[in-house]
Amino acid sequence: MAAKRISQSAINWAQLAERVPEHQKVIFSAFKAKSDGYMRRVTAFPETAPKIDWAFYKNKVPVAGMVDEFQKQYEALSIPYPPNPLTSQLDSLEKEIQNDVNKFKTESNGRIEQYKKQLAHLASLIPYDQMTMEDYRDAFPEESLNPLEKPSFWPHLPEDQLGYQDKDVPTDSGH
């Protein structure tokens, strides 16, 4: 089974270069130079082995049958293309990663929509430097102080409030 000859790189170097961090640009350039050098060396050779003029050698070589034997061996020579057992693994890994990427994109788009709503809400508010305490209470009811329904004492931390019990300290069972 003859494989198709590679005549150009399948890598989109410009797109890949956009993703390379600044501190790795030198390493990337060296890698690209090696790849380009390899591709130039491969394409410098002909795709097929050179044709041999067997009739010329049959007339020049005095040993009978020697050229015929060489011709038979040369034409029987077949260098197999190395097998690639990793392509299927890489394809399945690529599909898994693509699924993860698509899931992340979907989740990110959901977060973006939430953040856009939050930004729209914040943009609709009075600027903080112009807000009164009542304006703040109306804008953020869950964060504002409500002395009638849930009184709070300065510095308004949970451990400074009436009835606070530390979860880490065991309660006394009457001893």
Side-chain angles (χ1 to χ4, degrees):
M1 172 173 127
K4 184 178 110 175
R5 180 179 175 139
I6 299 170
S7 62
Q8 66 180 6
S9 177
I11 300 170
N12 185 343
W13 290 104
Q15 188 179 32
L16 186 59
E18 292 173 359
R19 296 174 184 248
V20 175
E22 282 300 320
H23 67 282
Q24 292 182 346
K25 292 282 186 185
V26 174
I27 298 168
F28 173 76
S29 297
F31 173 69
K32 183 177 181 324
K34 277 186 178 183
S35 176
D36 291 344
Y38 175 74
M39 187 60 65
R40 278 192 300 277
R41 286 194 312 273
V42 167
T43 56
F45 295 110
E47 188 169 347
T48 58
K51 300 292 180 196
I52 297 175
D53 183 8
W54 296 106
F56 172 80
Y57 288 107
K58 286 179 185 177
N59 292 333
K60 297 292 180 184
V61 175
V63 180
M66 180 185 242
V67 175
D68 292 331
E69 182 65 27
F70 280 147
Q71 181 179 5
K72 186 173 97 176
Q73 290 178 6
Y74 182 78
E75 290 172 353
L77 178 67
S78 172
I79 300 173
Y81 196 78
N84 187 353
L86 301 178
T87 300
S88 61
Q89 293 175 3
L90 289 175
D91 289 342
S92 65
L93 182 62
E94 182 181 14
K95 287 177 184 174
E96 286 178 31
I97 290 173
Q98 190 61 42
N99 289 338
D100 291 345
V101 166
N102 289 338
K103 179 181 173 187
F104 178 75
K105 281 181 171 179
T106 303
E107 292 171 354
S108 294
N109 287 337
R111 285 191 300 272
I112 288 170
E113 289 304 315
Q114 290 175 351
Y115 296 148
K116 284 181 179 178
K117 289 177 186 175
Q118 289 176 358
L119 283 173
H121 173 69
L122 291 174
S124 69
L125 296 177
I126 301 170
Y128 284 115
D129 59 349
Q130 298 173 11
M131 263 189 195
T132 64
M133 290 301 285
E134 291 79 17
D135 293 332
Y136 184 83
R137 182 200 61 219
D138 294 341
F140 304 100
E142 66 280 349
E143 296 177 14
S144 64
L145 296 176
N146 185 350
L148 299 176
E149 294 178 13
K150 42 180 201 173
S152 179
F153 300 99
W154 188 88
H156 308 289
L157 299 173
E159 59 267 11
D160 295 321
Q161 306 310 311
L162 292 176
Y164 173 76
Q165 291 185 357
D166 193 354
K167 298 175 196 168
D168 298 332
V169 177
T171 57
D172 209 11
S173 59
H175 294 296

